PDB file of all heavy atoms in Angstrom:
ATOM      1  N   ARG A 244     -35.485  11.530  -0.276  1.00 95.00           N
ATOM      2  CA  ARG A 244     -35.997  12.298   0.888  1.00 95.00           C
ATOM      3  C   ARG A 244     -34.888  12.583   1.869  1.00 95.00           C
ATOM      4  O   ARG A 244     -34.693  13.573   2.372  1.00 95.00           O
ATOM      5  CB  ARG A 244     -37.091  11.536   1.618  1.00 95.00           C
ATOM      6  CG  ARG A 244     -38.452  11.568   1.063  1.00 95.00           C
ATOM      7  CD  ARG A 244     -39.547  11.082   2.004  1.00 95.00           C
ATOM      8  NE  ARG A 244     -39.180   9.789   2.564  1.00 95.00           N
ATOM      9  CZ  ARG A 244     -39.622   8.625   2.157  1.00 95.00           C
ATOM     10  NH1 ARG A 244     -40.584   8.605   1.145  1.00 95.00           N
ATOM     11  NH2 ARG A 244     -39.306   7.449   2.629  1.00 95.00           N
ATOM     12  N   ALA A 245     -34.084  11.514   2.140  1.00 96.00           N
ATOM     13  CA  ALA A 245     -33.224  11.565   3.396  1.00 96.00           C
ATOM     14  C   ALA A 245     -31.813  11.890   3.092  1.00 96.00           C
ATOM     15  O   ALA A 245     -31.145  12.335   3.974  1.00 96.00           O
ATOM     16  CB  ALA A 245     -33.337  10.172   3.960  1.00 96.00           C
ATOM     17  N   SER A 246     -31.407  11.713   1.857  1.00 98.00           N
ATOM     18  CA  SER A 246     -29.884  11.905   1.614  1.00 98.00           C
ATOM     19  C   SER A 246     -29.491  13.275   1.011  1.00 98.00           C
ATOM     20  O   SER A 246     -30.337  13.929   0.364  1.00 98.00           O
ATOM     21  CB  SER A 246     -29.341  10.776   0.740  1.00 98.00           C
ATOM     22  OG  SER A 246     -29.875  10.887  -0.565  1.00 98.00           O
ATOM     23  N   ASP A 247     -28.270  13.607   1.303  1.00 98.00           N
ATOM     24  CA  ASP A 247     -27.717  14.885   0.668  1.00 98.00           C
ATOM     25  C   ASP A 247     -26.887  14.511  -0.594  1.00 98.00           C
ATOM     26  O   ASP A 247     -26.914  15.308  -1.539  1.00 98.00           O
ATOM     27  CB  ASP A 247     -26.780  15.513   1.638  1.00 98.00           C
ATOM     28  CG  ASP A 247     -27.513  15.883   3.014  1.00 98.00           C
ATOM     29  OD1 ASP A 247     -28.357  16.728   2.947  1.00 98.00           O
ATOM     30  OD2 ASP A 247     -27.138  15.358   4.051  1.00 98.00           O
ATOM     31  N   PHE A 248     -26.282  13.447  -0.627  1.00 98.00           N
ATOM     32  CA  PHE A 248     -25.517  12.803  -1.716  1.00 98.00           C
ATOM     33  C   PHE A 248     -25.875  11.401  -2.053  1.00 98.00           C
ATOM     34  O   PHE A 248     -26.346  10.702  -1.165  1.00 98.00           O
ATOM     35  CB  PHE A 248     -24.011  12.945  -1.539  1.00 98.00           C
ATOM     36  CG  PHE A 248     -23.478  14.390  -1.351  1.00 98.00           C
ATOM     37  CD1 PHE A 248     -23.581  15.048  -0.118  1.00 98.00           C
ATOM     38  CD2 PHE A 248     -22.888  15.023  -2.460  1.00 98.00           C
ATOM     39  CE1 PHE A 248     -23.006  16.374   0.007  1.00 98.00           C
ATOM     40  CE2 PHE A 248     -22.431  16.273  -2.299  1.00 98.00           C
ATOM     41  CZ  PHE A 248     -22.483  16.962  -1.073  1.00 98.00           C
ATOM     42  N   THR A 249     -25.717  11.129  -3.285  1.00 98.00           N
ATOM     43  CA  THR A 249     -26.072   9.701  -3.713  1.00 98.00           C
ATOM     44  C   THR A 249     -25.023   9.137  -4.665  1.00 98.00           C
ATOM     45  O   THR A 249     -24.545   9.795  -5.576  1.00 98.00           O
ATOM     46  CB  THR A 249     -27.436   9.729  -4.438  1.00 98.00           C
ATOM     47  OG1 THR A 249     -28.548  10.141  -3.561  1.00 98.00           O
ATOM     48  CG2 THR A 249     -27.763   8.338  -4.969  1.00 98.00           C
ATOM     49  N   ALA A 250     -24.667   7.881  -4.356  1.00 98.00           N
ATOM     50  CA  ALA A 250     -23.751   7.151  -5.266  1.00 98.00           C
ATOM     51  C   ALA A 250     -24.591   6.096  -5.951  1.00 98.00           C
ATOM     52  O   ALA A 250     -25.243   5.322  -5.315  1.00 98.00           O
ATOM     53  CB  ALA A 250     -22.670   6.494  -4.409  1.00 98.00           C
ATOM     54  N   MET A 251     -24.513   6.057  -7.260  1.00 98.00           N
ATOM     55  CA  MET A 251     -25.282   5.143  -8.056  1.00 98.00           C
ATOM     56  C   MET A 251     -24.301   4.044  -8.531  1.00 98.00           C
ATOM     57  O   MET A 251     -23.314   4.294  -9.080  1.00 98.00           O
ATOM     58  CB  MET A 251     -25.851   5.830  -9.303  1.00 98.00           C
ATOM     59  CG  MET A 251     -26.542   4.893 -10.265  1.00 98.00           C
ATOM     60  SD  MET A 251     -28.018   4.082  -9.659  1.00 98.00           S
ATOM     61  CE  MET A 251     -28.234   2.757 -10.928  1.00 98.00           C
ATOM     62  N   MET A 252     -24.702   2.755  -8.184  1.00 98.00           N
ATOM     63  CA  MET A 252     -23.847   1.575  -8.508  1.00 98.00           C
ATOM     64  C   MET A 252     -24.485   0.721  -9.666  1.00 98.00           C
ATOM     65  O   MET A 252     -25.743   0.676  -9.733  1.00 98.00           O
ATOM     66  CB  MET A 252     -23.588   0.729  -7.302  1.00 98.00           C
ATOM     67  CG  MET A 252     -22.669   1.386  -6.277  1.00 98.00           C
ATOM     68  SD  MET A 252     -22.184   0.298  -4.912  1.00 98.00           S
ATOM     69  CE  MET A 252     -21.001  -0.829  -5.862  1.00 98.00           C
ATOM     70  N   MET A 253     -23.621   0.165 -10.399  1.00 97.00           N
ATOM     71  CA  MET A 253     -24.165  -0.711 -11.433  1.00 97.00           C
ATOM     72  C   MET A 253     -23.031  -1.826 -11.720  1.00 97.00           C
ATOM     73  O   MET A 253     -21.943  -1.611 -11.377  1.00 97.00           O
ATOM     74  CB  MET A 253     -24.340   0.055 -12.797  1.00 97.00           C
ATOM     75  CG  MET A 253     -25.125  -0.618 -13.925  1.00 97.00           C
ATOM     76  SD  MET A 253     -26.802  -0.636 -13.494  1.00 97.00           S
ATOM     77  CE  MET A 253     -27.272   1.044 -13.556  1.00 97.00           C
ATOM     78  N   ILE A 254     -23.475  -2.938 -12.337  1.00 96.00           N
ATOM     79  CA  ILE A 254     -22.536  -3.980 -12.668  1.00 96.00           C
ATOM     80  C   ILE A 254     -22.052  -3.846 -14.070  1.00 96.00           C
ATOM     81  O   ILE A 254     -22.872  -3.458 -14.936  1.00 96.00           O
ATOM     82  CB  ILE A 254     -23.125  -5.378 -12.341  1.00 96.00           C
ATOM     83  CG1 ILE A 254     -24.415  -5.593 -13.076  1.00 96.00           C
ATOM     84  CG2 ILE A 254     -23.245  -5.655 -10.859  1.00 96.00           C
ATOM     85  CD1 ILE A 254     -24.934  -7.031 -13.010  1.00 96.00           C
ATOM     86  N   ASP A 255     -20.836  -4.265 -14.304  1.00 94.00           N
ATOM     87  CA  ASP A 255     -20.341  -4.278 -15.670  1.00 94.00           C
ATOM     88  C   ASP A 255     -20.470  -5.638 -16.337  1.00 94.00           C
ATOM     89  O   ASP A 255     -21.117  -6.508 -15.795  1.00 94.00           O
ATOM     90  CB  ASP A 255     -18.888  -3.760 -15.724  1.00 94.00           C
ATOM     91  CG  ASP A 255     -17.897  -4.680 -14.964  1.00 94.00           C
ATOM     92  OD1 ASP A 255     -18.244  -5.930 -14.731  1.00 94.00           O
ATOM     93  OD2 ASP A 255     -16.826  -4.221 -14.669  1.00 94.00           O
ATOM     94  N   GLU A 256     -19.801  -5.763 -17.512  1.00 93.00           N
ATOM     95  CA  GLU A 256     -19.950  -6.968 -18.262  1.00 93.00           C
ATOM     96  C   GLU A 256     -19.358  -8.213 -17.554  1.00 93.00           C
ATOM     97  O   GLU A 256     -19.627  -9.371 -17.877  1.00 93.00           O
ATOM     98  CB  GLU A 256     -19.393  -6.842 -19.670  1.00 93.00           C
ATOM     99  CG  GLU A 256     -17.893  -6.595 -19.727  1.00 93.00           C
ATOM    100  CD  GLU A 256     -17.537  -5.124 -19.493  1.00 93.00           C
ATOM    101  OE1 GLU A 256     -18.460  -4.299 -19.233  1.00 93.00           O
ATOM    102  OE2 GLU A 256     -16.320  -4.843 -19.605  1.00 93.00           O
ATOM    103  N   ASN A 257     -18.424  -7.954 -16.573  1.00 91.00           N
ATOM    104  CA  ASN A 257     -17.814  -8.979 -15.794  1.00 91.00           C
ATOM    105  C   ASN A 257     -18.500  -9.240 -14.487  1.00 91.00           C
ATOM    106  O   ASN A 257     -17.965  -9.961 -13.592  1.00 91.00           O
ATOM    107  CB  ASN A 257     -16.287  -8.643 -15.640  1.00 91.00           C
ATOM    108  CG  ASN A 257     -15.577  -8.607 -16.907  1.00 91.00           C
ATOM    109  OD1 ASN A 257     -15.696  -9.482 -17.780  1.00 91.00           O
ATOM    110  ND2 ASN A 257     -14.776  -7.496 -17.015  1.00 91.00           N
ATOM    111  N   ARG A 258     -19.707  -8.633 -14.297  1.00 93.00           N
ATOM    112  CA  ARG A 258     -20.486  -8.767 -12.993  1.00 93.00           C
ATOM    113  C   ARG A 258     -19.765  -8.166 -11.897  1.00 93.00           C
ATOM    114  O   ARG A 258     -20.036  -8.433 -10.670  1.00 93.00           O
ATOM    115  CB  ARG A 258     -20.764 -10.292 -12.763  1.00 93.00           C
ATOM    116  CG  ARG A 258     -21.378 -10.978 -13.870  1.00 93.00           C
ATOM    117  CD  ARG A 258     -22.759 -10.534 -14.129  1.00 93.00           C
ATOM    118  NE  ARG A 258     -23.721 -10.707 -13.079  1.00 93.00           N
ATOM    119  CZ  ARG A 258     -24.982 -10.255 -13.066  1.00 93.00           C
ATOM    120  NH1 ARG A 258     -25.416  -9.669 -14.170  1.00 93.00           N
ATOM    121  NH2 ARG A 258     -25.728 -10.427 -12.012  1.00 93.00           N
ATOM    122  N   ALA A 259     -18.913  -7.192 -12.115  1.00 96.00           N
ATOM    123  CA  ALA A 259     -18.321  -6.402 -10.989  1.00 96.00           C
ATOM    124  C   ALA A 259     -19.082  -5.130 -10.865  1.00 96.00           C
ATOM    125  O   ALA A 259     -19.431  -4.342 -11.848  1.00 96.00           O
ATOM    126  CB  ALA A 259     -16.866  -6.077 -11.366  1.00 96.00           C
ATOM    127  N   GLY A 260     -19.390  -4.801  -9.626  1.00 97.00           N
ATOM    128  CA  GLY A 260     -20.115  -3.603  -9.236  1.00 97.00           C
ATOM    129  C   GLY A 260     -19.233  -2.381  -9.261  1.00 97.00           C
ATOM    130  O   GLY A 260     -17.918  -2.468  -8.962  1.00 97.00           O
ATOM    131  N   GLY A 261     -19.724  -1.235  -9.511  1.00 98.00           N
ATOM    132  CA  GLY A 261     -18.915  -0.014  -9.463  1.00 98.00           C
ATOM    133  C   GLY A 261     -19.773   1.170  -9.335  1.00 98.00           C
ATOM    134  O   GLY A 261     -21.026   1.163  -9.608  1.00 98.00           O
ATOM    135  N   VAL A 262     -19.252   2.354  -8.852  1.00 98.00           N
ATOM    136  CA  VAL A 262     -20.035   3.520  -8.781  1.00 98.00           C
ATOM    137  C   VAL A 262     -19.928   4.220 -10.139  1.00 98.00           C
ATOM    138  O   VAL A 262     -18.821   4.545 -10.604  1.00 98.00           O
ATOM    139  CB  VAL A 262     -19.446   4.459  -7.709  1.00 98.00           C
ATOM    140  CG1 VAL A 262     -20.151   5.839  -7.717  1.00 98.00           C
ATOM    141  CG2 VAL A 262     -19.637   3.787  -6.362  1.00 98.00           C
ATOM    142  N   ILE A 263     -21.052   4.435 -10.840  1.00 98.00           N
ATOM    143  CA  ILE A 263     -21.072   5.032 -12.127  1.00 98.00           C
ATOM    144  C   ILE A 263     -21.347   6.504 -12.139  1.00 98.00           C
ATOM    145  O   ILE A 263     -21.151   7.255 -13.023  1.00 98.00           O
ATOM    146  CB  ILE A 263     -22.098   4.355 -13.072  1.00 98.00           C
ATOM    147  CG1 ILE A 263     -23.506   4.514 -12.613  1.00 98.00           C
ATOM    148  CG2 ILE A 263     -21.713   2.964 -13.298  1.00 98.00           C
ATOM    149  CD1 ILE A 263     -24.538   4.143 -13.575  1.00 98.00           C
ATOM    150  N   GLU A 264     -21.901   6.916 -10.921  1.00 98.00           N
ATOM    151  CA  GLU A 264     -22.211   8.379 -10.791  1.00 98.00           C
ATOM    152  C   GLU A 264     -22.382   8.740  -9.295  1.00 98.00           C
ATOM    153  O   GLU A 264     -22.888   7.971  -8.509  1.00 98.00           O
ATOM    154  CB  GLU A 264     -23.543   8.783 -11.494  1.00 98.00           C
ATOM    155  CG  GLU A 264     -23.805  10.234 -11.591  1.00 98.00           C
ATOM    156  CD  GLU A 264     -24.902  10.566 -12.566  1.00 98.00           C
ATOM    157  OE1 GLU A 264     -25.471   9.608 -13.282  1.00 98.00           O
ATOM    158  OE2 GLU A 264     -25.259  11.702 -12.642  1.00 98.00           O
ATOM    159  N   PHE A 265     -21.765   9.869  -8.878  1.00 98.00           N
ATOM    160  CA  PHE A 265     -21.791  10.298  -7.559  1.00 98.00           C
ATOM    161  C   PHE A 265     -21.930  11.778  -7.505  1.00 98.00           C
ATOM    162  O   PHE A 265     -21.071  12.570  -8.140  1.00 98.00           O
ATOM    163  CB  PHE A 265     -20.538   9.918  -6.821  1.00 98.00           C
ATOM    164  CG  PHE A 265     -20.433  10.300  -5.388  1.00 98.00           C
ATOM    165  CD1 PHE A 265     -21.225   9.627  -4.420  1.00 98.00           C
ATOM    166  CD2 PHE A 265     -19.709  11.332  -4.947  1.00 98.00           C
ATOM    167  CE1 PHE A 265     -21.182  10.008  -3.047  1.00 98.00           C
ATOM    168  CE2 PHE A 265     -19.653  11.767  -3.607  1.00 98.00           C
ATOM    169  CZ  PHE A 265     -20.407  11.117  -2.662  1.00 98.00           C
ATOM    170  N   ASP A 266     -23.043  12.279  -6.859  1.00 98.00           N
ATOM    171  CA  ASP A 266     -23.292  13.670  -6.969  1.00 98.00           C
ATOM    172  C   ASP A 266     -24.344  14.101  -5.872  1.00 98.00           C
ATOM    173  O   ASP A 266     -24.737  13.121  -5.121  1.00 98.00           O
ATOM    174  CB  ASP A 266     -23.887  14.075  -8.339  1.00 98.00           C
ATOM    175  CG  ASP A 266     -23.507  15.475  -8.828  1.00 98.00           C
ATOM    176  OD1 ASP A 266     -23.461  16.327  -7.909  1.00 98.00           O
ATOM    177  OD2 ASP A 266     -23.235  15.596  -9.933  1.00 98.00           O
ATOM    178  N   GLU A 267     -24.679  15.307  -5.823  1.00 98.00           N
ATOM    179  CA  GLU A 267     -25.754  15.736  -4.875  1.00 98.00           C
ATOM    180  C   GLU A 267     -27.090  15.000  -5.274  1.00 98.00           C
ATOM    181  O   GLU A 267     -27.367  14.786  -6.465  1.00 98.00           O
ATOM    182  CB  GLU A 267     -25.981  17.221  -4.936  1.00 98.00           C
ATOM    183  CG  GLU A 267     -24.811  18.027  -4.443  1.00 98.00           C
ATOM    184  CD  GLU A 267     -25.093  19.508  -4.424  1.00 98.00           C
ATOM    185  OE1 GLU A 267     -26.255  19.908  -4.704  1.00 98.00           O
ATOM    186  OE2 GLU A 267     -24.147  20.283  -4.101  1.00 98.00           O
ATOM    187  N   THR A 268     -27.805  14.525  -4.246  1.00 98.00           N
ATOM    188  CA  THR A 268     -28.948  13.763  -4.473  1.00 98.00           C
ATOM    189  C   THR A 268     -29.982  14.494  -5.427  1.00 98.00           C
ATOM    190  O   THR A 268     -30.557  13.829  -6.312  1.00 98.00           O
ATOM    191  CB  THR A 268     -29.637  13.454  -3.152  1.00 98.00           C
ATOM    192  OG1 THR A 268     -28.774  12.640  -2.344  1.00 98.00           O
ATOM    193  CG2 THR A 268     -31.091  12.754  -3.338  1.00 98.00           C
TER     194      THR A 268
END
Side-chain angles (χ1 to χ4, degrees):
R244 283 193 306 263
S246 68
D247 302 293
F248 292 86
T249 296
M251 173 68 195
M252 293 189 69
M253 193 74 66
I254 55 174
D255 63 16
E256 64 277 5
N257 297 314
R258 305 297 295 175
V262 174
I263 64 167
E264 188 166 359
F265 181 74
D266 213 321
E267 293 183 5
T268 295

